[in-house]
Amino acid sequence: MKQKLEILHQKYQQFYNIAFFVLGFFFDVFTLGRIDDLSNLYILLLYIIVAKIFLIEIYLKKNIIPYPKKIIQYVLEYRTEAFHFCLGALLSAMTIFFFKSSSNMISHVLLGVIIFLLLINESSYLKSSSTRFKIILMLMAVNSFFVVFFPVLMASLNPFIFIGTQILFIIYSFLTFHFLRKSDYEDRTLVKHWIKPSLIITLTMSAFYFTKSLPPVPLHLQKIGIYHQVKKEYPKYRLTYKRRPYYIWKDSSNPFYAKEGDILFVFTRVFAPKGFKQKIYLHWEIEKGGDWMESDKIPLNLLGGREDGFRGYGLKKNFVPGNWRIYVKTESGLEIGKISFSILPIGELKLISKEEIDL
């Protein structure tokens, strides 16, 4: 049995790194809690520390920790797998937080890029470049960690905080560079492997942020809908919508069938961490001649901490039939979510009225 296990070990050893990366990803999917849970912060910090130590020891050939003789054999045998587990958990956690925070496809692209880089890294064709790819993945994880958790710690989200995260990341990169100068690598190689990727990642994240493409972590949209009436009956909201009798799957007034005197309501729930105070906006847009034009911009004063999200609504009395959409955005214009809908004249249609209670 021992001999058979050894044969299996040798046969599938090449897939261990990918397997531990995937294991780390799914471990986060099932265990990751709220973004403002400090245990998440501590665990991810631990992952960063462990992954960085093993990255430097395995791939940059610099010893950091004098391991006791009793455990050094186990450390040397399993530290590569531990590195990939921690890296997979880090990157998956960041991707999950990004995914939750926006309605656009940037998070999907980010996850695809991460997995693609790992698969390339493990291919025999690029084995000679594996160290640089691992460094890039590690730097991506650290930069994303700063972007995700600094707004949580500062209880705010604005351009100054984002710029601060990137300055801190550059400082981190240069301090690591100076620490590694005593390793077996030349300065020129370290600049190529560490400093250049750090600058490229910073420029890329900044480009995403200032083009309004980066998800507005730690905020995320939990619910948005169109209604004929919204009533606040603390601690609940009574949401009334109208639909055609056989559209049993509809749970909001979309499309909004309007008659004279109707008021259109949009109700939204946005999650924000504890202590978070942020002004967000409902941007109303109407389609005219194939182009979208802004109609209104309604502010909401968001207050964080509630498990099911901050609740707020806007209303519109003067509207015209057509295609509409409402974006939920931060003050700096980052998109939290959106809804598209149509306003149609009711004509001779018969509608039924339904209610939903939001607790």
Side-chain angles (χ1 to χ4, degrees):
M1 179 63 70
K2 185 177 180 181
Q3 188 177 5
K4 288 181 179 180
L5 290 174
E6 182 64 27
I7 292 172
L8 289 173
H9 172 74
Q10 295 295 332
K11 184 177 180 180
Y12 297 106
Q13 190 173 9
Q14 59 181 320
F15 301 110
Y16 281 6
N17 289 346
I18 293 177
F20 274 88
F21 181 92
V22 174
L23 179 62
F25 178 84
F26 283 104
F27 182 80
D28 264 353
V29 169
F30 292 109
T31 64
L32 202 62
R34 282 175 48 150
I35 197 169
D36 56 350
D37 186 346
L38 287 180
S39 63
N40 283 331
L41 176 65
Y42 299 144
I43 291 171
L44 293 174
L45 270 175
L46 178 62
Y47 287 160
I48 288 176
I49 293 169
V50 172
K52 187 174 180 180
I53 289 172
F54 289 156
L55 172 71
I56 292 173
E57 290 187 345
I58 300 169
Y59 303 106
L60 298 179
K61 313 301 182 185
K62 181 178 175 64
N63 293 325
I64 298 177
I65 299 177
Y67 299 104
K69 291 182 179 180
K70 292 182 179 180
I71 66 168
I72 189 168
Q73 179 184 349
Y74 301 102
V75 172
L76 295 178
E77 186 174 356
Y78 297 109
R79 64 183 178 180
T80 300
E81 287 80 5
F83 166 75
H84 280 270
F85 176 86
C86 292
L87 185 60
L90 273 170
L91 292 172
S92 64
M94 299 304 105
T95 304
I96 290 166
F97 287 138
F98 282 145
F99 177 79
K100 285 183 177 180
S101 294
S102 181
S103 59
N104 59 40
M105 294 297 293
I106 296 298
S107 301
H108 299 275
V109 173
L110 177 62
L111 177 59
V113 168
I114 291 169
I115 295 175
F116 177 69
L117 284 173
L118 180 70
L119 293 175
I120 287 181
N121 178 52
E122 296 305 322
S123 69
S124 57
Y125 180 72
L126 289 177
K127 274 294 181 182
S128 60
S129 302
S130 62
T131 296
R132 193 176 187 191
F133 274 111
K134 287 176 174 64
I135 290 173
I136 290 172
L137 290 172
M138 183 72 200
L139 290 170
M140 286 175 60
V142 173
N143 190 296
S144 300
F145 178 84
F146 289 163
V147 169
V148 167
F149 282 100
F150 260 75
V152 175
L153 296 175
M154 301 298 291
S156 183
L157 181 64
N158 59 62
F160 297 106
I161 291 177
F162 175 80
I163 292 170
T165 64
Q166 298 311 299
I167 292 173
L168 183 64
F169 175 71
I170 292 299
I171 293 172
Y172 159 85
S173 297
F174 274 93
L175 288 176
T176 304
F177 167 74
H178 284 290
F179 174 76
L180 292 173
R181 295 181 77 176
K182 295 181 181 179
S183 64
D184 294 338
Y185 282 76
E186 297 178 354
D187 284 3
R188 184 174 60 181
T189 305
L190 285 174
V191 168
K192 179 181 177 181
H193 279 56
W194 197 274
I195 297 300
K196 285 186 178 179
S198 297
L199 294 175
I200 291 171
I201 289 170
T202 295
L203 291 174
T204 302
M205 294 293 280
S206 299
F208 279 134
Y209 184 86
F210 289 107
T211 57
K212 317 300 183 188
S213 299
L214 194 70
V217 184
L219 307 179
H220 71 263
L221 186 70
Q222 294 180 318
K223 178 184 177 68
I224 186 169
I226 303 300
Y227 299 93
H228 274 78
Q229 189 175 65
V230 174
K231 281 187 177 182
K232 185 176 181 180
E233 300 174 354
Y234 188 82
K236 64 185 179 183
Y237 281 77
R238 188 178 298 275
L239 313 175
T240 303
Y241 61 95
K242 296 182 180 181
R243 61 170 174 82
R244 301 177 76 170
Y246 46 85
Y247 286 179
I248 58 175
W249 62 89
K250 294 282 187 179
D251 58 0
S252 69
S253 300
N254 189 4
F256 187 91
Y257 293 104
K259 65 178 186 295
E260 187 177 352
D262 274 348
I263 301 174
L264 187 151
F265 292 82
V266 56
F267 176 84
T268 183
R269 275 197 278 114
V270 177
F271 174 82
K274 297 172 185 175
F276 210 93
K277 294 182 180 180
Q278 185 82 34
K279 186 169 284 188
I280 60 175
Y281 290 89
L282 303 177
H283 293 254
W284 299 63
E285 296 182 355
I286 183 173
E287 186 180 22
K288 290 186 177 180
D291 295 323
W292 289 94
M293 301 178 60
E294 186 166 279
S295 171
D296 290 286
K297 183 178 175 181
I298 300 174
L300 296 175
N301 292 313
L302 181 149
L303 181 63
R306 187 173 181 268
E307 178 72 30
D308 294 318
F310 167 84
R311 296 172 295 181
Y313 66 92
L315 59 88
K316 194 170 182 61
K317 296 180 179 179
N318 300 314
F319 49 79
V320 295
N323 294 323
W324 290 76
R325 65 187 184 189
I326 300 173
Y327 283 95
V328 185
K329 295 184 178 182
T330 65
E331 285 186 283
S332 56
L334 298 181
E335 179 189 325
I336 305 172
K338 69 176 180 180
I339 186 171
S340 299
F341 61 98
S342 298
I343 298 178
L344 303 172
I346 190 170
E348 300 298 323
L349 290 176
K350 301 295 183 182
L351 304 178
I352 60 174
S353 184
K354 294 286 184 178
E355 283 190 350
E356 176 186 346
I357 303 298
D358 190 281
L359 297 174

